[in-house]
Each structure stands twice: as C-alpha cells, then as structure tokens.
Amino acid sequence: MPQSRESFLYMALFASIYRSACSSAISAEMDLNALVFAWDTFCAFYPSHIQERRPFGRIRPANFDEAWIIAEALRDGLAELPYCTTCHTPYLIIHGCKYQQVCQMCVLNQIPKTRMIT
C-alpha cells in the first residue's frame, strides 16, 4: 500500500491513533470502536485528503478500506508500530514491503532539503 516514504508517516499517525484508542492490545483483536474513532480523527486532521478517483494522493490511508487493512495488519503481525530510539516517535513497519524497516521520519530528515523539492 505505501507508495512513498512520506505515506508511511500518515499511516503511522493513523496506526498510532488506533493503538491509543484500542481498549486492548492491537495484536489481540480488532477494536471496531477504536477503528472508527481513529478514522474519524485522522479525517479531522486531513479533511480533504480522500479522493474519489484513483490515483489517491500520498496521504494514506486514503479510505476506510485501507484503514481497515492497516488495523488488520497490526492485529495479524504483518505490521508493527515500534518507537524510534532516535526521534522517539512511533513508526510503521510493514513486513514484506519494499522499503527498509527503519523510522521513515529519520530517513526523511536525513535527505537534503534540496532533493525533497521536485
């Protein structure tokens, strides 16, 4: 699902909201109330991010289906949300993804600012 390093940041934000709202461990069971709360909160942060037509933008999850998939991946152990020991923020690891299992915030901060402007 992630199309860029930047999209990991948004997915980690959604996953963090979901983890905070869960009444039990995110790996134990799907918490539907927490999932809806996390999706509503995420949409409040980015009210115009959902695009009806593909391709979706960089902000992921782009719809409730993608939010559900992230929550399922966290429950099933296909994704993790550890804390970075360098920047002390949660980051998302998706097993089997083409990106390295590193803190994407730290990686993005190491890229020279001139390269980020395209």
Side-chain angles (χ1 to χ4, degrees), residues 92-107:
L92 189 64
I93 292 175
I94 300 175
H95 300 289
C97 181
K98 68 180 180 178
Y99 293 105
Q100 290 180 317
Q101 296 180 357
V102 296
C103 175
Q104 300 299 332
M105 181 66 82
C106 289
V107 170

Side-chain angles (χ1 to χ4, degrees), residues 41-80:
T41 303
F42 185 80
C43 288
F45 284 126
Y46 304 101
S48 62
H49 83 282
I50 298 175
Q51 298 179 13
E52 294 300 321
R53 295 179 308 245
R54 290 191 180 267
F56 294 131
R58 290 184 174 184
I59 298 179
R60 307 310 283 245
N63 55 44
F64 188 76
D65 291 340
E66 290 183 0
W68 184 280
I69 290 168
I70 292 169
E72 277 188 332
L74 290 167
R75 180 197 65 201
D76 295 342
L78 300 173
E80 298 176 48

Side-chain angles (χ1 to χ4, degrees), residues 2 16 23 30 32 55 95:
S16 294
S23 59
M30 184 83 76
L32 297 180
H95 300 289

